[in-house]
Amino acid sequence: MYYVADANGRITHSAEVPGATAALKHDFAITRHHVVFIEGTVTFDPTEHSGIPYGWNDEQPARIGVMPRGPRGAGLIRWFPIEPGSMLHAANAYEDARGRIVLEGPTVDREGFRLSWNWWVGAPGRGTEPNARSYNRRWVIDLAADSVAEQITDDLAIEFPTLNEEFLGSEHRYQYAISFPDQEGQGGYGIVKYDRTTGARDIHEAGDARLPSEAVFVPAAGATREDDGYLLTVVSDLKQDSSQLLVLDASGLDRIATVHLPRRVTAGIHGSWIPDSDLGGSDH
């Protein structure tokens, strides 16, 4: 089901998406003119009793659904086959100068799904810390040619992609993510910044066994650049059983402040923010 809500939270439109399957759809993307769904090779599995009833299924075709925005869009959805895999979190999607849809987000293959699944369900032998086999992938969907080109854009294991949300649905230059040790234990936990124009990649290392959560971008007052702002992330110390809110300069990833929290916060959380001007004058 697809829903549209207005700024006050009222549902203004809903539609059943034709042809959709029970593939795991944890996230989706929007562009100025389209809604973009990802159906990967992970699908509902009623025989899975871990508490999360999904599993890898080679018989589940991986594909991208492109649906025009608007009240009649569901009936016009088009599905495009892609390589097997699964994506939990979309980084962004937009329409480029040629009218093609560009979509990005970290994906896992079969082994990557097994690694992450073992961690989340607490499987025996999973290790004391999570590692990953999730790599940023880019799809370019050409509606006119009825084709999809796809590629892995980086060899760093990442998850929880974010951006300056002023660019949600339009072309962005900077993209952020959280890095993990890979399946071989290489690399480490950190906050990553990608420059999609130059191809540069910068990492703020979080430290041993210090797992950051999703890094939320907060624009600076009077910002004039896309990366003029801050990144907020809650870092969970897996050895000290403690957490800190880390504030970074989004332009250079320098640490601005550390706020020590009174108790441990679960690692890997999503986050958001509101300016204090939206609190209605409250001091709390």
Side-chain angles (χ1 to χ4, degrees):
M1 295 296 298
Y2 168 68
Y3 296 90
V4 178
D6 65 16
N8 295 314
R10 293 188 295 263
I11 300 299
T12 60
H13 173 66
S14 65
E16 183 174 349
V17 179
T21 72
L24 176 60
K25 286 179 280 291
H26 184 69
D27 198 4
F28 68 100
I30 60 171
T31 70
R32 293 192 182 279
H33 301 103
H34 296 90
V35 181
V36 185
F37 300 108
I38 295 286
E39 290 200 339
T41 325
V42 173
T43 189
F44 177 73
D45 180 1
T47 67
E48 174 59 58
H49 300 299
S50 65
I52 310 176
Y54 287 86
W56 185 275
N57 182 356
D58 288 320
E59 296 182 2
Q60 172 71 36
R63 57 185 187 162
I64 293 175
V66 178
M67 185 179 85
R69 293 171 65 173
R72 292 182 293 276
L76 301 174
I77 191 168
R78 295 169 61 184
W79 295 98
F80 297 84
I82 57 174
E83 295 180 13
S86 182
M87 183 191 78
L88 284 181
H89 305 116
N92 196 24
Y94 61 88
E95 291 142 14
D96 68 11
R98 294 170 54 184
R100 303 175 304 176
I101 295 173
V102 180
L103 170 69
E104 289 191 18
T107 62
V108 294
D109 57 11
R110 180 202 292 269
E111 177 62 13
F113 176 76
R114 185 190 67 82
L115 283 171
S116 60
W117 194 258
N118 285 350
W119 173 260
W120 291 114
V121 302
R126 66 175 186 162
T128 58
E129 298 180 23
N131 54 15
R133 188 186 165 101
S134 180
Y135 304 108
N136 194 64
R137 185 179 293 268
R138 179 180 299 150
W139 296 270
V140 180
I141 305 139
D142 191 325
L143 299 176
D146 197 33
S147 65
V148 178
E150 54 185 304
Q151 65 176 129
I152 298 291
T153 62
D154 192 22
D155 60 359
L156 184 69
I158 62 167
E159 248 301 344
F160 298 107
T162 55
L163 77 163
N164 179 341
E165 291 195 352
E166 290 293 325
F167 291 82
L168 187 69
S170 59
E171 186 167 4
H172 62 294
R173 175 172 179 175
Y174 300 109
Q175 193 164 298
Y176 308 95
I178 303 304
S179 66
F180 291 78
D182 65 15
Q183 71 273 16
E184 304 297 332
Q186 303 299 314
Y189 300 120
I191 298 92
V192 185
K193 178 182 181 180
Y194 291 105
D195 185 329
R196 300 176 67 255
T197 299
T198 67
R201 181 186 74 191
D202 295 321
I203 302 176
H204 177 97
E205 296 182 358
D208 179 49
R210 289 173 50 81
L211 174 56
S213 296
E214 182 178 66
V216 176
F217 181 89
V218 179
T224 57
R225 306 185 316 275
E226 181 181 337
D227 62 347
D228 190 0
Y230 312 93
L231 295 176
L232 306 180
T233 177
V234 175
V235 178
S236 182
D237 192 313
L238 304 178
K239 292 184 177 180
Q240 300 299 321
D241 197 34
S242 62
S243 295
Q244 298 85 36
L245 171 65
L246 189 63
V247 183
L248 303 180
D249 176 357
S251 62
L253 298 188
D254 297 319
R255 182 172 64 87
I256 293 176
T258 301
V259 181
H260 296 275
L261 304 181
R263 58 183 54 85
R264 165 87 176 269
V265 177
T266 302
I269 61 169
H270 292 294
S272 188
W273 74 283
I274 58 172
D276 56 9
S277 59
D278 286 357
L279 295 179
S282 171
D283 294 329
H284 304 285

